[in-house]
Amino acid sequence: MWMSKKRRIGLKYCGGCSPRYDRVQAVASIKRRLEDRVEFVSYEDRDVEGILVVTGCSTACVDLTPFEGRLVWVVTSEQDVEGFLKNICKIS
Amino acid sequence: MSLMNAKQYEESLRKLNFKIYMFGKLVENPVDDPIIRPSMNAVAATYELAHSPEHEDLVTATSHITGKKINRFTHIHHSTEDLVKKSKMGRLLGSLTGCCFQRCVGMDAMNALSMTTYDIDQKYGTQYNKHFLKFLEYVQENDLVCDGAMTDPKGDRGLAPHQQADPDMFMHVVEEREDGIVVRGAKCHQTGAVNSHEIITMPTISMREEDKDYAISFAVPADTEGITYILGRQSCDTRKREEGTMDRGNQIYGGHEALVVFDDVFVPWDRVFMYKEWDFAGQLVEQFASYHRQSYACKAGVGDVLIGATQCIAEYNGAQKASHVKDKIIEMNHLNETLFCGSLACAAEGHKEPSGTYYVNTLLANVCKQNVTRFPYEIARLAQDIAGGLMVTLPSEEDFRSPEVGKWVEKYYKGNADVSTEDRMRILRLIENITLGTAAVGYLTESMHGAGSPQAQRIMISRQVNMNAKKRVAKKLSGIDVDE
């Protein structure tokens, strides 16, 4: 049986001290909408095309230095989700 | 094992041989005791979140000793970013548990000791920092909970330790041996004591040379022979022994405090971090207190839960559209976010000490804690205002379930038609729990007295503000001659 290979993207959350929207629900929505095309894996996995960083507010306090030199998408709000989806579809 | 999970933490507690008394009886199985267990659940959340992708960015850190990933509660802050993440972690855990999760006090004790032991060694050529770092590595590698034990009974507050009629009112050395020391005394109000693997003691006040036998700091396993725990009572605590669970308010989490008695406890030398260096007692107290005053970001987290519960009850009562209700909830949020601001500010304005540890801005840490002595009371008052008197006149769960009178409770305590009476009762019990039940110990009175009573912060604020600079500018702008 032939199967197209899914793209692999690492997922990293901020700690979620006081998020302005439901980060986990936002990621669930992203995963649902990309389920045929993208597999989301741990940010520690090196075999990925880039890292999706999901933060609860625009402070985006996640330390990005471990991801230097790699493709990083940062989602800080529900509005950013649509931007990320457009972006990722464009790349494909 | 540098990161335990919640189950492993629970199992690790079962292996300890605690001597705990509650209601005059020895507690045979503290982990499963219905009064103690919710507090264990709250500490377990600090382990669970370290493994959660949605929260590990705050709850884990990288050890400066081993380079390994560790729980942030065992971490020594090495940047202002670390300090800020500590504040955020406190809010996060408070907002998920609705209570005190007990693990910050040990983190604050270790960070303070990382600085004070270093400074003592610099002055006296001692080896305390080396001993401390060995202990710290053991704590990090095994992901342990430490109780930071500072508050002595203090006896007559007008007398110094050496002047007390009973010398045991302050922890002191009763015997010096080749292999260590024997200590006697007690520590009061110890948050999370029986959920801890280790107890770290510190002096409770600044001392003079005459008090040098009381200037001691050390760490021992929490089940060391000679240590007895006597659990503190909490308002409504025995509801946790009842068959139903609704009347507890918080179904999962809680906190506890205990009186910890040290009856001639042996401490080996490599676990001693201060021994008669009386001139460093005040520094250790101040450093611990400043970190701990920052830690009260957790109350903003508990405030999140109380505000959420208040919004729910407004909706369940059908009062959510009333302008005064909306305005009161805005006020609750304003006060709550102001609490968080203080904790973040003292962290962001932190600095590096000679030991390499980052230390909070002490003026702002005291301002943060001073707000905490007041705002939760006002937030609680507004919650009770919106909840209504039913919060304290509601019949019990047993009446609600009663075949005889349950139907009347169901009928007459219905509010919004879209919400069940049971849900309305549950949210009222949660508000009761936080504002005058078991969780009020942490949210209100501990906010008042924990990490030092209000006057302690006011003294620190008065010492640290630059009053001369303020006066000088005021004089200049009003045309008064200023002597340069």
Side-chain angles (χ1 to χ4, degrees):
Chain A
M1 187 173 74
W2 181 87
M3 284 176 69
S4 64
K5 198 179 171 203
K6 281 187 183 179
R7 298 166 65 183
R8 288 166 60 83
I9 293 176
L11 178 62
K12 169 75 178 168
Y13 287 96
C14 73
C17 67
S18 186
R20 303 282 162 82
Y21 68 103
D22 191 333
R23 299 167 305 148
V24 180
Q25 206 178 320
V27 168
S29 155
I30 291 170
K31 283 181 174 174
R32 201 168 45 247
R33 291 165 69 180
L34 295 176
E35 67 181 339
D36 297 333
R37 284 177 280 178
V38 179
E39 182 185 3
F40 287 94
V41 297
S42 165
Y43 65 91
E44 287 169 318
D45 194 326
R46 298 294 301 182
D47 181 24
V48 292
E49 66 175 84
I51 309 290
L52 171 62
V53 176
V54 181
T55 70
C57 69
S58 53
T59 305
C61 66
V62 171
D63 178 12
L64 298 180
T65 51
F67 311 131
E68 264 172 14
R70 300 167 73 185
L71 188 55
V72 174
W73 299 274
V74 182
V75 166
T76 67
S77 65
E78 281 165 330
Q79 293 71 36
D80 284 356
V81 169
E82 294 307 318
F84 167 72
L85 288 169
K86 263 189 212 158
N87 204 317
I88 201 79
C89 293
K90 217 186 293 173
I91 291 174
S92 66
Chain B
M1 185 198 299
S2 23
L3 275 180
M4 273 200 280
N5 62 31
K7 190 70 192 159
Q8 289 166 326
Y9 163 64
E10 182 179 332
E11 292 310 312
S12 73
L13 284 182
R14 290 185 193 282
K15 291 177 189 152
L16 297 179
N17 188 25
F18 282 115
K19 192 174 169 190
I20 304 165
Y21 280 84
M22 184 166 57
F23 299 115
K25 293 194 178 86
L26 187 67
V27 180
E28 301 287 349
N29 176 4
V31 173
D32 296 314
D33 184 277
I35 290 184
I36 299 173
R37 189 170 175 87
S39 70
M40 193 282 295
N41 289 340
V43 182
T46 70
Y47 287 91
E48 195 181 324
L49 265 55
H51 294 273
S52 153
E54 297 88 8
H55 303 298
E56 52 103 31
D57 191 68
L58 288 180
V59 186
T60 61
T62 302
S63 167
H64 76 291
I65 302 174
T66 63
K68 291 182 188 169
K69 188 176 183 180
I70 55 169
N71 195 296
R72 187 173 295 282
F73 283 101
T74 68
H75 184 51
I76 299 300
H77 317 301
H78 271 74
S79 62
T80 52
E81 188 191 22
D82 271 344
L83 289 168
V84 168
K85 286 196 170 179
K86 177 203 163 188
S87 293
K88 292 182 174 183
M89 175 174 71
R91 180 166 191 175
L92 168 69
L93 273 148
S95 73
L96 295 178
T97 60
C99 69
C100 170
F101 41 86
Q102 309 145 57
R103 207 175 169 186
C104 62
V105 67
M107 168 178 55
D108 294 336
M110 288 190 286
N111 274 276
L113 278 166
S114 76
M115 300 188 292
T116 302
T117 54
Y118 181 90
D119 294 344
I120 299 174
D121 290 354
Q122 293 300 302
K123 182 171 179 184
Y124 292 114
T126 44
Q127 298 285 308
Y128 295 126
N129 192 246
K130 191 174 138 194
H131 293 166
F132 170 73
L133 290 175
K134 185 180 155 205
F135 168 73
L136 176 69
E137 187 174 347
Y138 167 72
V139 169
Q140 291 182 345
E141 283 292 298
N142 294 283
D143 199 5
L144 302 179
V145 177
C146 298
D147 170 26
M150 177 165 277
T151 310
D152 290 294
K154 298 195 286 282
D156 184 334
R157 270 61 171 170
L159 300 174
H162 75 280
Q163 296 170 321
Q164 297 286 331
D166 181 348
D168 301 344
M169 289 296 110
F170 289 80
M171 183 80 76
H172 64 115
V173 185
V174 292
E175 189 187 346
E176 185 180 316
R177 295 185 194 166
E178 216 167 84
D179 52 351
I181 56 175
V182 177
V183 298
R184 189 185 301 159
K187 294 291 181 182
C188 309
H189 325 305
Q190 289 311 297
T191 297
V194 309
N195 291 326
S196 301
H197 303 98
E198 293 278 337
I199 303 185
I200 304 169
T201 77
M202 297 161 282
T204 201
I205 53 170
S206 296
M207 291 185 185
R208 291 174 292 180
E209 191 165 4
E210 303 91 302
D211 298 318
K212 66 181 180 186
D213 286 346
Y214 300 85
I216 51 172
S217 172
F218 58 85
V220 286
D223 60 348
T224 299
E225 194 179 339
I227 299 179
T228 303
Y229 300 83
I230 307 165
L231 259 286
R233 286 216 70 170
Q234 295 181 330
S235 171
C236 310
D237 50 8
T238 49
R239 289 190 190 184
K240 292 175 188 172
R241 286 181 167 174
E242 293 171 5
E243 200 173 316
T245 61
M246 263 171 71
D247 294 350
R248 294 177 187 180
N250 190 327
Q251 302 295 303
I252 306 167
Y253 301 113
H256 79 248
E257 274 76 26
L259 170 66
V260 187
V261 178
F262 291 71
D263 188 21
D264 292 357
V265 172
F266 174 71
V267 185
W269 282 119
D270 67 351
R271 287 295 198 95
V272 176
F273 308 135
M274 176 187 286
Y275 185 64
K276 301 189 180 184
E277 288 84 8
W278 59 272
D279 48 334
F280 282 90
Q283 174 182 321
L284 182 54
V285 171
E286 188 174 319
Q287 289 177 334
F288 169 76
S290 297
Y291 278 128
H292 209 40
R293 288 168 193 173
Q294 174 207 7
S295 284
Y296 277 71
C298 63
K299 302 307 176 202
V302 180
D304 288 331
V305 177
L306 183 56
I307 293 167
T310 306
Q311 180 66 40
C312 285
I313 197 61
E315 292 169 11
Y316 294 180
N317 289 346
Q320 77 276 18
K321 290 181 184 160
S323 62
H324 74 95
V325 169
K326 286 189 204 167
D327 193 55
K328 283 166 185 163
I329 291 174
I330 291 168
E331 178 68 5
M332 292 169 81
N333 277 304
H334 161 68
L335 293 169
N336 203 48
E337 298 301 334
T338 307
L339 292 179
F340 193 41
C341 289
S343 181
L344 287 177
C346 70
E349 290 290 296
H351 69 273
K352 189 178 181 180
E353 284 282 301
S355 65
T357 302
Y358 271 67
Y359 185 34
V360 290
N361 177 303
T362 54
L363 172 60
L364 297 180
N366 280 280
V367 169
C368 168
K369 176 64 201 347
Q370 181 74 187
N371 285 341
V372 173
T373 67
R374 299 172 177 175
F375 297 176
Y377 286 88
E378 179 62 7
I379 295 169
R381 189 186 71 79
L382 291 166
Q384 292 191 355
D385 179 350
I386 293 168
L390 185 56
M391 189 191 78
V392 290
T393 62
L394 198 59
S396 68
E397 180 178 354
E398 280 184 278
D399 290 316
F400 179 66
R401 309 270 182 225
S402 158
E404 288 79 28
V405 297
K407 61 186 175 190
W408 302 122
V409 178
E410 171 81 42
K411 174 183 167 74
Y412 288 112
Y413 287 133
K414 183 89 178 164
N416 180 336
D418 297 332
V419 177
S420 71
T421 301
E422 178 172 335
D423 285 355
R424 189 171 179 228
M425 289 173 75
R426 283 182 178 277
I427 212 77
L428 284 166
R429 287 295 180 210
L430 181 61
I431 296 171
E432 179 195 34
N433 171 256
I434 296 173
T435 63
L436 49 78
T438 53
V441 173
Y443 189 57
L444 297 180
T445 314
E446 188 208 317
S447 290
M448 174 76 83
H449 293 293
S453 302
Q455 195 58 23
Q457 293 112 52
R458 299 182 82 79
I459 291 166
M460 291 299 289
I461 291 168
S462 74
R463 277 187 197 157
Q464 295 189 21
V465 293
N466 186 348
M467 191 56 77
N468 285 335
K470 295 177 199 298
K471 281 168 59 182
R472 199 161 47 244
V473 175
K475 286 178 182 175
K476 183 180 170 188
L477 295 182
S478 57
I480 298 170
D481 284 341
V482 180
D483 295 329
E484 293 300 332

